[in-house]
Amino acid sequence: MSARPRPNSRLLAAIALASAAGLAGAALVAAPASAAADALSVQYRTSATGATADQTEPWLQVTNTGTTTVPLSQVKLRYYFKSDGPSVTYRFACSWAVKGCGNITGTIGTLANPTATADRYLEIAFTAGAGSLAPGQSTGDMQLRFNRADWQTLTQSDDYSFSSTQTSYADFSRVTLEANGALIWGTAPAGNDPTTPPTTPPTTPPTTPPTTPPNDPNAPVLFDDFSYASSSDPAIQQHGWTVKSGQGGPGVPGATWSPADITFPVTGGNSVMNLGLTTDGTASGTRETELQTTARKFKNGTYAARVKFDDTPTGGPDGDHVNQTFFAFTPLNRPMDPDYSEQDFEYLPNGGWGEQGNIMYETTWETYNPDPWNAVNAHGQQRQSYDGWHDLVFTIDNTSVTYYIDGQQVASHGEPYLPETGQFIDFNHWLIDLNGQTSSTPRSYDQQVDYVYFVKDQVLTPAQVNGSIAALRSAGTTFKDTVPGS
């Protein structure tokens, strides 16, 4: 899945840059005066390697190889591509970035001198919030992507900056970098060097310290700490929850959604919801669980839950492709439904979907086509164990969906993935397939939920969420729902 960079790749890239200019020695001597100090290199990889794709995915990082600190607000990158037609428009999105997607902008531009492999470019710039790069520092991962506005399949094999073999980060000269209007790195398509100096001296916007967003005490809230007697407790329905039963997706066809396997044990003096999953390796012997809000009334705001994931079965052999979740969604009413949306935490303790070990996904969906499969989404991922209790938070505003685990941001996705309409809140525990463990010995897995919390139209920090939960529990509140209906 990965390709190692060739030895001396930076030297080879520099030679290639100079050769393309026609004067190897002169090109190096004629570099801008600031280049010696402001030496920056660009590394590229892609996770979409096909000749055609739903989205082009230029993942980039910038490394400061010089001797001075460089404000990223002075830096611009260009990725060059051939459009699928003169009237085709494109949209940019940032899936995840160490510097934060909110500090990265993407603009599609048109080249003044089109070539056989490029007539457009994606220009990446940074806000002051991205900070600076000290000598030796890197921006880290920037998982970027763009798609046709009509979501038709695009061709990328003829794009100047695309490389299907670049599946791990390495220096890459077909992406250019400017600092203060001077070309520092890379070779543009012939006749399109981005070296026009700015008409006025560039200025760095003043950096202001981040402020904690206000927490409106009167904002509509849903809070439930799952103090119920059983899945048939009338209070569950009265509090706006639906317990899934019968058959149907997701998961193994023929498996059963079992209300009886949702229980509410008391742990440490506190009631929690336990979502059980049992299987004997057959569809008919598999029982899954799901709890969903009855009302589709949740959109912008802060979603939070404290969830205990389970890496190993409570009995029987391990290895099933289990999926343990917390998410919000709008149903798909037809293929590529523009009103569909979903924001997922999905933990796969034994892998699945081609993964061999523990992996957590944060997936934000725009839409999809079930047959033939065509997924329009963005995701973050962490290949590690999350066995045990964890605080999960995701926030939605008019610019991004941002995910946190235990107070740390792990993913952020912007347009076109924001929800368009009201959503359900959901927890489910299900089996992806029957391939992970083929034994006929019965086994069971548990996923527990301490509480769920939503505050409408407020983007709270994880610390503010914890403070709100503590206040609700100090007041003796076990359930509250002031969120207006959709």
Side-chain angles (χ1 to χ4, degrees):
M1 294 295 292
S2 62
R4 296 179 181 175
R6 294 173 294 174
N8 300 318
S9 59
R10 184 166 296 158
L11 176 60
L12 293 174
I15 293 172
L17 169 60
S19 298
L23 294 169
L28 295 176
V29 172
S34 63
D38 292 350
L40 300 165
S41 62
V42 178
Q43 292 76 47
Y44 159 83
R45 61 159 292 195
T46 184
S47 62
T49 59
T52 61
D54 297 326
Q55 303 173 98
T56 293
E57 300 183 11
W59 293 12
L60 304 172
Q61 64 181 15
V62 176
T63 302
N64 186 346
T65 59
T67 59
T68 62
T69 296
V70 178
L72 282 170
S73 59
Q74 299 177 2
V75 171
K76 291 182 179 179
L77 302 158
R78 283 190 180 182
Y79 176 97
Y80 302 89
F81 66 99
K82 180 76 171 178
S83 69
D84 291 337
S87 62
V88 176
T89 58
Y90 295 84
R91 295 194 295 187
F92 164 78
C94 173
S95 299
W96 159 248
V98 173
K99 290 293 185 180
C101 283
N103 294 316
I104 297 171
T105 64
T107 305
I108 304 295
T110 301
L111 289 179
N113 300 294
T115 70
T117 58
D119 56 11
R120 308 277 183 93
Y121 60 85
L122 168 65
E123 183 170 276
I124 300 300
F126 302 87
T127 71
S132 300
L133 287 186
Q137 286 188 336
S138 166
T139 59
D141 210 13
M142 293 186 290
Q143 298 181 12
L144 312 176
R145 58 187 67 210
F146 61 89
N147 60 274
R148 288 179 54 145
D150 58 7
W151 280 114
Q152 296 297 306
T153 299
L154 53 77
T155 298
Q156 58 181 1
S157 57
D158 60 354
D159 292 349
Y160 177 85
S161 297
F162 171 71
S163 173
S164 63
T165 61
Q166 198 87 355
T167 55
S168 61
Y169 277 119
D171 286 356
F172 194 72
S173 63
R174 295 202 303 274
V175 173
T176 59
L177 181 148
E178 300 173 75
N180 273 335
L183 180 63
I184 302 295
W185 175 270
T187 305
N192 292 282
D193 282 350
T195 54
T196 303
T199 55
T200 57
T203 59
T204 302
T207 301
T208 56
T211 58
T212 302
N215 187 352
D216 180 1
N218 299 313
V221 164
L222 167 68
F223 171 72
D224 199 337
D225 76 348
F226 299 112
S227 297
Y228 302 109
S230 69
S231 62
S232 59
D233 189 331
I236 292 179
Q237 184 175 5
Q238 293 166 8
H239 288 172
W241 295 104
T242 297
V243 180
K244 189 171 183 176
S245 61
Q247 296 185 343
V252 178
T256 299
W257 297 94
S258 173
D261 286 303
I262 298 182
T263 58
F264 298 90
V266 175
T267 302
N270 183 51
S271 177
V272 300
M273 175 173 64
N274 190 84
L275 298 162
L277 168 65
T278 62
T279 186
D280 61 4
T282 68
S284 61
T286 299
R287 300 196 308 272
E288 305 166 319
T289 47
E290 180 170 13
L291 183 80
Q292 175 187 305
T293 58
T294 305
R296 211 182 90 189
K297 60 180 183 179
F298 309 95
K299 188 171 177 261
N300 286 10
T302 299
Y303 301 71
R306 182 164 173 79
V307 178
K308 185 179 182 182
F309 298 113
D310 187 10
D311 278 1
T312 57
T314 56
D318 196 4
D320 293 290
H321 290 161
V322 173
N323 194 334
Q324 303 173 354
T325 74
F326 165 48
F327 63 104
F329 78 104
T330 298
L332 184 82
N333 292 319
R334 63 184 185 278
M336 304 303 283
D337 181 357
D339 288 335
Y340 169 78
S341 61
E342 191 166 336
Q343 307 87 39
D344 299 330
F345 280 106
E346 291 183 294
Y347 180 54
L348 281 54
N350 295 315
W353 294 325
E355 294 289 333
Q356 302 303 310
N358 316 97
I359 187 167
M360 174 74 83
Y361 286 109
E362 304 85 28
T363 309
T364 311
W365 292 79
E366 168 62 15
T367 190
Y368 70 95
N369 185 10
D371 187 21
W373 180 249
N374 181 16
V376 181
N377 61 33
H379 70 269
Q381 60 193 32
Q382 299 80 43
R383 290 182 174 88
Q384 66 181 73
S385 171
Y386 281 96
D387 187 67
W389 286 105
H390 296 280
D391 294 325
L392 309 180
V393 175
F394 64 91
T395 63
I396 304 175
D397 59 19
N398 291 324
T399 62
S400 61
V401 180
T402 305
Y403 298 83
Y404 302 85
I405 300 178
D406 298 329
Q408 299 298 310
Q409 181 178 323
V410 292
S412 184
H413 307 139
E415 284 290 15
Y417 307 106
L418 303 181
E420 288 80 18
T421 62
Q423 305 184 118
F424 299 108
I425 293 176
D426 201 307
F427 298 90
N428 61 17
H429 191 184
W430 51 284
L431 200 59
I432 293 172
D433 55 42
L434 298 173
N435 301 326
Q437 172 57 259
T438 58
S439 170
S440 61
T441 301
R443 56 268 189 192
S444 58
Y445 299 82
D446 289 332
Q447 174 189 347
Q448 295 188 343
V449 184
D450 183 13
Y451 66 80
V452 65
Y453 175 75
F454 171 81
V455 56
K456 179 178 170 62
D457 296 331
Q458 298 287 296
V459 174
L460 304 186
T461 66
Q464 286 178 313
V465 169
N466 291 339
S468 297
I469 301 303
L472 287 162
R473 287 187 158 163
S474 294
T477 304
T478 59
F479 176 79
K480 180 179 181 179
D481 186 4
T482 58
V483 180
S486 58

